[in-house]
Amino acid sequence: MDALSDVLRVMRLKGGLFLHAEFSAPWCVSSGVKKLPEGCAPYLGSNAHIIPYHYVLQGRMRVCVEGGAELEIGEGDSVLFPRNDSHLLGSDLELLPVPGADIMRLPGGEGLANMAFGGGGAPTRIVCGFLGSEEVRGNPVLSTVPAVLRVNAARQSSAEWIRSTFLYAAEEIAAGRMGTAVVVGKVSELLFVDAIRSYVETLADGHTGWLAGLKDSFVSRAMTLLHAKVAVPWTVDELGREVGLSRSALGERFTRIIGMPPMQYLANWRIHAAAHEMINSSKPILQIAHEVGYDSEASFTRAFKRLMGAPPATWRRRRASAN
């Protein structure tokens, strides 16, 4: 399994759709989802980190987060907010924004929320959704992507399928059909993966960070080996031989791009993999420790507490009680 697939596996992405919106120029709406929309907790779990997104079905709109540059997106494009930053949407972001919560209409029974707002000019129609992921410290994807991820429909091979599914969802919402959120939830997960891939492809040479490591052939190969064989007692010498670099060359290259030496990266990922197992299985902690490469529960406990802020047994109980 490649490094990106392994990180996405541990994130446990779950997606959904929470509203359909119709706007007309001029308009400006402030948006933010700091807690789960009503009814989403059963799908995502109470510990979920929320990643909102907006997909444009018709028209155009401008988007920005506080302190960031404006983006303009059109039909078939989407934007995601990996760290759940509050943001503005509109035909003109200089207008006084109306809080999205003030114009949201909740469904009377089955169905999803909707919005209708604006001055009667050029129309824009969007669907808004969310992804939930496990809230785990130091997630390498969420900590290194920008505040806004744009998915340009023209560049994505899956664009037409995503577009047709969202159009289908909008029609289903209007008809009040059950099960729409489940269908679109799966497409939301694909949308996020496409957004990450698209961002990695645009990274210039010399860029650093975890995602930049995916573009470097040597570092990417090293990360793939570490993720695929997390319990192996790797050394930098052995890893270098596997990827075709000397110990010093791999160490320098990996540290420069990723921000830490290979063995520190492995130690951190072992804890993330262990946390995933503790959330999703009833395995004893000692068994999990062995599966990620620790010979003793004591050494595992020290490493886990250092990264996660609590001993593994305490951390596991807290997560279980929160759910």
Side-chain angles (χ1 to χ4, degrees):
M1 182 181 294
D2 65 271
L4 178 59
S5 295
D6 199 26
V7 171
L8 293 174
R9 174 187 66 85
V10 170
M11 285 175 68
R12 295 181 70 217
L13 288 171
K14 295 180 183 179
L17 182 70
F18 64 83
L19 68 87
H20 174 219
E22 296 185 2
F23 301 111
S24 58
W27 62 281
C28 183
V29 172
S30 59
S31 181
V33 185
K34 293 306 179 186
K35 64 179 181 178
L36 287 175
E38 187 178 354
C40 295
Y43 297 99
L44 301 184
S46 58
N47 286 311
H49 166 75
I50 301 174
I51 304 169
Y53 70 83
H54 307 294
Y55 184 92
V56 180
L57 294 168
Q58 176 188 3
R60 304 192 69 78
M61 70 177 184
R62 304 190 71 80
V63 181
C64 78
V65 298
E66 184 177 355
E70 288 188 16
L71 298 175
E72 184 173 3
I73 64 171
E75 188 172 306
D77 294 340
S78 54
V79 283
L80 302 93
F81 303 86
R83 288 184 287 278
N84 196 13
D85 293 292
S86 296
H87 50 278
L88 297 178
L89 312 171
S91 60
D92 182 354
L93 301 188
E94 297 299 319
L95 298 173
L96 181 66
V98 174
D102 291 354
I103 56 175
M104 184 184 300
R105 297 196 299 266
L106 298 176
E110 296 291 343
L112 300 173
N114 62 84
M115 288 183 185
F117 176 72
T124 299
R125 191 158 60 103
I126 67 175
V127 291
C128 305
F130 58 85
L131 288 128
S133 75
E134 284 293 343
E135 187 75 77
V136 177
R137 292 187 181 191
N139 179 287
V141 170
L142 297 182
S143 61
T144 55
V145 292
V148 182
L149 280 177
R150 176 182 180 178
V151 181
N152 188 317
R155 295 183 179 179
Q156 302 304 115
S157 59
S158 55
E160 184 52 39
W161 179 58
I162 293 174
R163 172 175 163 73
S164 62
T165 304
F166 277 123
L167 285 170
Y168 164 80
E171 293 171 358
E172 293 287 283
I173 294 167
R177 298 287 298 277
M178 294 183 292
T180 303
V182 176
V183 174
V184 181
K186 297 303 180 184
V187 183
S188 304
E189 296 165 28
L190 174 61
L191 186 67
F192 181 78
V193 175
D194 271 4
I196 296 298
R197 288 172 174 166
S198 179
Y199 175 70
V200 171
E201 289 169 1
T202 65
L203 290 175
D205 292 341
H207 202 93
T208 59
W210 190 86
L211 290 170
L214 300 179
K215 286 195 72 173
D216 184 277
S217 59
F218 294 106
V219 173
S220 177
R221 173 63 177 155
M223 289 198 298
T224 294
L225 288 167
L226 295 177
H227 280 259
K229 302 178 179 181
V230 69
V232 169
W234 289 101
T235 66
V236 183
D237 277 328
E238 292 166 339
L239 196 60
R241 283 195 293 271
E242 289 287 339
V243 303
L245 286 177
S246 68
R247 178 186 185 280
S248 58
L250 175 62
E252 185 281 328
R253 194 183 193 101
F254 197 103
T255 303
R256 173 171 50 83
I257 294 174
I258 302 300
M260 65 182 72
M263 295 303 100
Q264 183 183 344
Y265 177 85
L266 174 61
N268 288 353
W269 185 250
R270 283 172 169 167
I271 300 304
H272 283 291
H276 174 75
E277 282 300 310
M278 286 195 286
I279 293 170
N280 296 285
S281 79
S282 58
K283 294 176 185 177
I285 289 174
L286 180 58
Q287 179 182 343
I288 293 173
H290 287 161
E291 288 177 354
V292 298
Y294 284 87
D295 294 330
S296 73
E297 189 170 350
S299 60
F300 172 68
T301 296
R302 288 193 298 271
F304 192 96
K305 183 178 180 180
R306 185 165 55 247
L307 188 65
M308 306 302 286
T314 303
W315 187 88
R316 190 181 219 175
R317 284 195 301 272
R318 289 175 181 170
R319 294 300 296 252
S321 62
N323 284 327

